[in-house]
Structures are given as structure tokens and as C-alpha cells.
Amino acid sequence: MGSPGINIAALSVAIRILAVLLCGGCDTQLRPTTERDTRDAVGDQGVELETFDKDQADTVTPTDTSDLLFAADSTETSDVPLATDLSDGEVPNTCPVAVGGLRNLSEAVDVDTPPTHLDMEFGRVELLGARSYDEDGDSIAEQKWTVTQHPGRVPPSVEQVSARGPSEIGIYMLGSYELELTVVDEHGLSSCNTAGVTVTSTATAGLVVELTWETPGDPDETDDDGADVDLHLLRPGGMIWNLQGARDDCFFYDRSPDWGVLGVATDNPKYHVDDFDGAGPEVITIEQPALTTGEEGYLIGVNFRVNNHFALVFPSVRVYSNGEAIGIVGEKGGIALQRGEVWIAGELFWTENGPLFVTSDVPQITDGFPVP
């Protein structure tokens, strides 16, 4: 018997059609196969897709193309760092973000979002950085606050309780303050930004007396080693300086004696801050001073109490009423004090027409407190 003849052309067409069915309508270049492509493949045989049995196509197992790798010239990008951007399998560390806030400790009000600006008179302010964060999830290991603008000659000290916790600063001079916060993550990387906060100190009190001083022999007036100079305010008609309990002198040992009308707080002085190792300030205020009568007014005294091995200080006194300066004495080194000396900076009379600040052309300096 002769071998059955094999139609090579028909077999070739069948193989091509089977490839089309298995590939799901794609050629080897992963582009759609059209009817034109099929005609080109079969040539003169003139076979069309519609001539094949559809039941046969249903028996073909579909090919899973989910793992196919497409051409490398794709224009799509990814946020995931390339392997070449990593070091030993670690994700690069990014800068933490500093977020600052403020709290007036005299008000003792906690808020979810602390403000970045405060208007206040005098007192202590808490510097908050707990809302700072690191997008890597790293912890914030340190908060660093810096005073960038302040009234007066020497910046106020920032007192840091702990590296990770809040800090505090005393606001005791009238004017504007600016501070900046930088944070450091657990790997020692500092924030790329600084968070700024501001404080404006204004006073509506009838009387504000402010003392500052310069110590030429002190190389760092912001540290804990400095001269101790004290501010005193003697009531009209008062006789006794520097004695606790005498109620005549408002100073660091008697901070709010009852003057004027007994039981009325607005005419009493208030001693706000005692600086015993720096350049000041020390501040005394009276909301509404009592009217002075006759020739006796409020006497302002300055005592160089403890020198701490510094021989000479140059004090300066500013007097304000309702936020306006009414007297400045001792500026630019005009007054020099040695240890134990007392300078009567001036006398303030409170009249129906307002305050009157009187100073002497010749500095009144005595060795120890004078007897009025």
C-alpha cells in the first residue's frame, strides 16, 4: 500500500492558525494579530479565520500572560528607589521635619495645635517641638531652640529640661522675640528646615521699671557665672530699704508688698524676675500706681550686691508708662558701680496729669543703702 500523501502547504497553514489561537491573538512581537496578518501568513491558500470550527477553539487552554515581560522602552516611572540607590539593603535616611509651638505658662492652657505667635506682657513661655516628625518613622532624639532676635543687648537664655522635651524661656523685656527650632533624629540627622516662632511683649501697666547691666570683665554674660545686681522700688514715704517684711521696699525678698489702698491689688508693685548671674533684666510693675502727694515719690534703687569676682558693673534703667518710655538713665556706661554700692536712679511722681520721672544731674551713689 502506498503512504498517504501529506499536504505540506495545508499543514503549514494549520500550524500558523494554531499558534494564533494559543497566543491569544498576538504575534511573537506582542502586537495584535489582524485579519490582514493572517492573510499574509497563508498566502495564496486563502484560508480565513471564520472557516475554523469554533468548538475546536473552545478546547484550547488560554495562555496566562500576566508574567510576560514587556519591552524595556516603557516610559512609566516608579517612586520606589532603584537598587543602585540603596546601600547594603538599607533605605536612605531623610531629614526630620521641625514643627514648633508656644505656650504661655502663666495661662496654663493646653491646646491641640499650639500657636506659633504669642502676645503677652511678662512671664515664662514653653517652647514646644513635640509635633515634629520623621517620615522614615525615626524618633526625634533632640530639639534645639535658638534665639535669633530679641530686645536688649544680651539674648534671654533657653532652658532645656531634656534633649527630647520642651524648653522654656523668660520674656521680661518689652519688644519682639524670634526663635527657631531644629530637630535631630535618632541617627543624628538634623532637620532640613527650621520652624520659627515669635513672641511680642507689650505692657499696659501704668508703671514698668526695667534694669539691665553690663559687666566688662565677664567674657560670657549668658552663662551661670556673672555679677548679681538687684532692682529696688521704695514706696512714697518709705524709710527702710532691703528688709524683708518691712513692706517699704519691693525687691527679690519682698516681691509684692501691699501698698496704696489695703486689699486693692492694682496699686501694688510686682517683682517679676531676679537675675543673679547675668546681665538682667529685672522688672517691677504697678498696674495703677497710687497718686503721690507732696515731695515724696517712688524711689528707684540699684544695688551691686554680689560681684562673683567681677570688679565693676554698668547698670541702665528704663521706665515705661502704658508701654511708652518716659525715662532712660545710665545708658552707654554712664554709671559705674562697685560691689556694695547703691545708685538711686531716679524718683517717680504719679500725678493727676500722669507720671513725672525726675533724675539728678549728679549720680547719687552711696556705699550701702541710704537713709531717706
Side-chain angles (χ1 to χ4, degrees):
M1 296 179 59
S3 299
I6 298 176
N7 189 329
I8 300 301
L11 180 60
S12 175
V13 171
I15 291 174
R16 289 176 179 271
I17 293 173
L18 181 60
V20 170
L21 294 175
L22 291 175
C23 187
C26 298
D27 65 8
T28 57
Q29 298 300 319
L30 296 179
R31 54 185 175 84
T33 301
T34 64
E35 184 176 349
R36 176 187 295 272
D37 297 326
T38 305
R39 288 198 186 100
D40 292 342
V42 299
D44 295 336
Q45 300 299 321
V47 179
E48 295 183 358
L49 293 176
E50 286 81 357
T51 62
F52 288 90
D53 187 358
K54 294 181 179 180
D55 293 336
Q56 180 182 4
D58 292 339
T59 62
V60 179
T61 303
T63 302
D64 184 3
T65 61
S66 62
D67 293 330
L68 290 177
L69 296 178
F70 289 86
D73 61 351
S74 172
T75 59
E76 294 185 7
T77 60
S78 172
D79 294 332
V80 179
L82 298 176
T84 54
D85 294 334
L86 304 180
S87 175
D88 297 329
E90 295 182 358
V91 177
N93 193 14
T94 59
C95 299
V97 179
V99 181
L102 300 167
R103 186 166 75 102
N104 186 345
L105 290 176
S106 63
E107 296 178 353
V109 176
D110 291 320
V111 293
D112 293 334
T113 305
T116 57
H117 176 78
L118 284 179
D119 290 308
M120 59 183 296
E121 189 182 47
F122 302 118
R124 297 194 65 77
V125 172
E126 192 172 37
L127 307 174
L128 306 171
R131 293 188 300 135
S132 301
Y133 62 93
D134 194 322
E135 293 181 345
D136 295 340
D138 297 333
S139 63
I140 302 299
E142 186 176 5
Q143 302 177 20
K144 298 179 179 179
W145 287 95
T146 304
V147 181
T148 58
Q149 178 179 311
H150 57 88
R153 190 175 52 84
V154 179
S157 299
V158 175
E159 299 175 12
Q160 192 167 16
V161 179
S162 66
R164 301 189 182 192
S167 299
E168 292 183 14
I169 188 172
I171 304 297
Y172 293 109
M173 292 186 72
L174 299 179
S176 298
Y177 300 77
E178 295 182 4
L179 299 98
E180 290 183 348
L181 169 66
T182 301
V183 296
V184 181
D185 71 10
E186 61 186 274
H187 302 293
L189 183 63
S190 296
S191 53
C192 295
N193 74 309
T194 55
V197 296
T198 57
V199 180
T200 301
S201 174
T202 57
T204 58
L207 174 63
V208 176
V209 182
E210 172 191 285
L211 166 67
T212 57
W213 62 92
E214 182 178 358
T215 308
D218 188 351
D220 184 0
E221 294 177 282
T222 64
D223 63 13
D224 295 335
D225 184 18
D228 183 6
V229 181
D230 291 324
L231 177 63
H232 293 254
L233 183 66
L234 194 73
R235 68 175 179 83
M239 300 293 293
I240 303 175
W241 291 90
N242 199 43
L243 180 62
Q244 183 178 8
R247 316 301 285 175
D248 281 354
D249 184 5
C250 177
F251 67 116
F252 64 92
Y253 271 145
D254 206 348
R255 295 180 176 239
S256 188
D258 194 347
W259 291 355
V261 180
L262 293 178
V264 176
T266 55
D267 59 8
N268 296 335
K270 181 178 180 180
Y271 188 96
H272 288 268
V273 59
D274 178 24
D275 185 3
F276 49 83
D277 56 11
E282 295 196 1
V283 178
I284 296 175
T285 62
I286 303 178
E287 286 296 320
Q288 183 58 53
L291 293 177
T292 56
T293 59
E295 298 180 354
E296 295 179 333
Y298 297 90
L299 288 177
I300 299 172
V302 177
N303 174 218
F304 185 5
R305 182 167 178 264
V306 180
N307 61 357
N308 291 333
H309 63 79
F310 298 111
L312 208 63
V313 296
F314 293 87
S316 175
V317 170
R318 291 173 176 260
V319 181
Y320 300 88
S321 179
N322 298 314
E324 299 293 332
I326 61 173
I328 302 173
V329 287
E331 279 198 317
K332 300 180 180 180
I335 302 295
L337 292 182
Q338 298 180 8
R339 183 182 183 277
E341 291 184 331
V342 174
W343 168 45
I344 304 302
E347 188 171 10
L348 180 72
F349 296 90
W350 204 263
T351 72
E352 293 181 351
N353 297 323
L356 176 63
F357 184 56
V358 178
T359 61
S360 174
D361 293 335
V362 178
Q364 300 182 47
I365 299 175
T366 58
D367 186 9
F369 286 92
V371 177

